[in-house]
Amino acid sequence: MSLGVNPTRMSTMLENLYAATLSPSDRLSLPRAMAAAFDATSCLLHMRDCAPLNVDIVGCTENLRPFMPGYVEGGHASDEWSLRALHRPGRAVFGEDIVPEKELLAADWYHDICRPAAVHHIVGGAVAIERGVGGLIGVQRPCDAASFGSDDRVMMQFLLPHLAQAYRLIRIAGMNERTNCLTLEALSSLSVGVFIVRADARVRLMNAVAEHVVRTCRSIAMPSGRLSLCDPKLDERLRASIRFASLAPLGRSFHTGETIAVPSGVAQSLSLAVVPLPPHVASTGPDELLAAVFVGEPTPNVEPSAALLRAIYGLTPAETRLVLALLEGVCVSDYAENASVTLNTVRTQLKSIFLKTGCQSQVELVRKILSNPMLRLVHK
């Protein structure tokens, strides 16, 4: 950690976050814990479906609770901070970074909600969860309190990737209304393979798609019940990722998981996404250190849609067209000529794409998009 961010405080915050993913009682106390971690007085956590526009309040502190019914009913449509933050996914921001103070003080939503709730200074951000679904967090202080500083921004930046994983787990858990644990019934609702594994990679639960992958793919196996990859180096990477991801809910690791592309003998690689899970996620047996591994089967003839790319990575229409062209193997210079734009314009767009996707090169960008099973994490 840098800039004076307290590792103990960060660890406690992650422990609270993952505990809340599958426990409604822990979820009630999560906003208060998040606010306390930033020495703040309030916090709002919510998710938004883009089409149709729908708001799901994950949690809020007491001062915001009286305003939430009206916010969900329609007040969210005028919340410019949240609306604009969704266009900057994965980036920790202050309130004034998105809505200048002069504009804020003149806004109806500020006087209707923020001012009565003693909300003024904000640090937070947005994350991409699934296709067309974004998650947000806002931590707030009143007008007469000190504004947030660089350390708060750094801590929020560390938090956002974990928040994205937590929101995904909350949505998955919501598939099974009768229990707060992931069961085979809930996992079977997913169109991607899912393994629930212990810290040592031994499989506790898996759905039908995951079973099919193990039977038909030569690159992945389950000797003695342990999820493994046939490539020794990739297997070592998978085991390490699972181990560190399983420790994150306890605040003993800052690993948010990763996506691993595994050669499968077809045009595209098999893709495995490792995700942290709270220890009590399994429906039977004692609490264990756990992680989830989402597996995307090779689909060489299917390309991500423009709408899906925009929703997940926050791309502009022009950036999306460029990404789709790169996926088809078009070089940058040919794309500039075909699109009737300058090469400098395309390079500027590419830099913006790299920033939004966390990539450093075109090769890494293409590999990341094609190997991302989250692009296929949808209900059947």
Side-chain angles (χ1 to χ4, degrees):
M1 297 273 180
S2 60
L3 296 177
V5 173
N6 188 324
T8 301
R9 179 176 292 190
M10 186 69 196
S11 296
T12 301
M13 187 164 56
L14 292 184
E15 188 172 356
N16 288 327
L17 176 63
Y18 282 107
T21 55
L22 300 172
S23 169
S25 59
D26 287 329
R27 205 171 301 157
L28 286 174
S29 60
L30 179 62
R32 185 170 62 253
M34 288 292 180
F38 287 88
D39 293 324
T41 53
S42 62
C43 173
L44 172 63
L45 299 136
H46 71 287
M47 293 184 278
R48 294 189 177 213
D49 288 270
C50 299
L53 186 59
N54 181 55
V55 170
D56 179 15
I57 303 298
V58 176
C60 66
T61 44
E62 289 290 337
N63 63 315
L64 295 173
R65 195 160 295 166
F67 305 96
M68 290 302 99
Y71 188 82
V72 171
E73 187 67 26
H76 59 81
S78 61
D79 179 0
E80 286 296 326
W81 192 91
S82 294
L83 292 172
R84 297 178 192 181
L86 285 168
H87 294 288
R88 306 184 184 188
R91 189 185 309 178
V93 291
F94 297 132
E96 58 268 26
D97 293 339
I98 297 181
V99 180
E101 186 163 0
K102 184 177 180 180
E103 180 183 347
L104 175 70
L105 296 177
D108 289 340
W109 58 275
Y110 175 76
H111 293 282
D112 292 342
I113 299 177
C114 298
R115 191 171 179 179
V119 167
H120 187 84
H121 305 292
I122 301 175
V123 64
V127 293
I129 303 173
E130 302 174 15
R131 58 176 67 187
V133 181
L136 295 109
I137 179 173
V139 178
Q140 305 97 5
R141 291 174 181 168
C143 184
D144 57 355
S147 58
F148 292 100
S150 57
D151 289 354
D152 297 305
R153 191 203 295 266
V154 171
M155 189 160 68
M156 180 61 71
Q157 191 63 57
F158 272 98
L159 173 65
L160 287 179
H162 291 277
L163 186 70
Q165 301 289 41
Y167 277 153
R168 292 185 185 110
L169 295 177
I170 288 172
R171 288 179 68 84
I172 293 171
M175 294 177 190
N176 191 343
E177 297 178 355
R178 294 190 301 274
T179 176
N180 297 322
C181 296
L182 286 183
T183 64
L184 286 174
E185 181 180 354
L187 296 179
S188 65
S189 301
L190 301 180
S191 59
V192 293
V194 186
F195 297 90
I196 305 300
V197 296
R198 300 192 320 190
D200 61 1
R202 295 189 181 277
V203 177
R204 293 282 280 108
L205 295 171
M206 63 179 174
N207 66 355
V209 178
E211 291 180 3
H212 176 72
V213 171
V214 172
R215 288 197 308 268
T216 60
C217 182
R218 297 180 180 178
S219 302
I220 189 170
M222 282 180 52
S224 302
R226 185 181 72 83
L227 185 63
S228 64
L229 301 176
C230 295
D231 184 306
K233 291 185 178 179
L234 290 179
D235 186 55
E236 182 179 356
R237 178 180 166 188
L238 174 65
R239 295 181 67 177
S241 186
I242 289 173
R243 183 171 65 256
F244 289 122
S246 71
L247 291 171
L250 302 181
R252 289 157 55 188
S253 164
F254 299 119
H255 187 58
T256 59
E258 63 175 318
T259 299
I260 302 174
V262 182
S264 59
V266 295
Q268 286 188 9
S269 298
L270 189 72
S271 53
L272 282 71
V274 181
V275 179
L277 284 181
H280 58 279
V281 68
S283 58
T284 59
D287 287 354
E288 299 174 295
L289 296 179
L290 298 172
V293 180
F294 294 93
V295 183
E297 292 189 86
T299 51
N301 296 321
V302 178
E303 293 183 352
S305 70
L308 181 55
L309 286 171
R310 286 198 300 270
I312 291 180
Y313 297 109
L315 304 178
T316 67
E319 292 167 352
T320 303
R321 290 192 293 270
L322 174 55
V323 169
L324 291 174
L326 294 176
L327 292 176
E328 294 176 355
V330 178
C331 69
V332 170
S333 57
D334 288 345
Y335 175 80
E337 182 177 351
N338 295 336
S340 299
V341 296
T342 66
L343 189 56
N344 284 337
T345 296
V346 176
R347 286 171 176 165
T348 299
Q349 293 172 349
L350 194 56
K351 288 181 180 179
S352 177
I353 293 168
F354 287 163
L355 180 64
K356 293 177 180 179
T357 59
C359 296
Q360 302 294 325
S361 67
Q362 293 180 45
V363 172
E364 183 182 0
L365 173 67
V366 171
R367 183 184 298 117
K368 180 171 187 175
I369 291 175
L370 293 181
S371 66
N372 185 358
M374 295 302 118
L375 292 170
R376 301 173 61 230
L377 185 57
V378 295
H379 296 182
K380 286 184 178 180

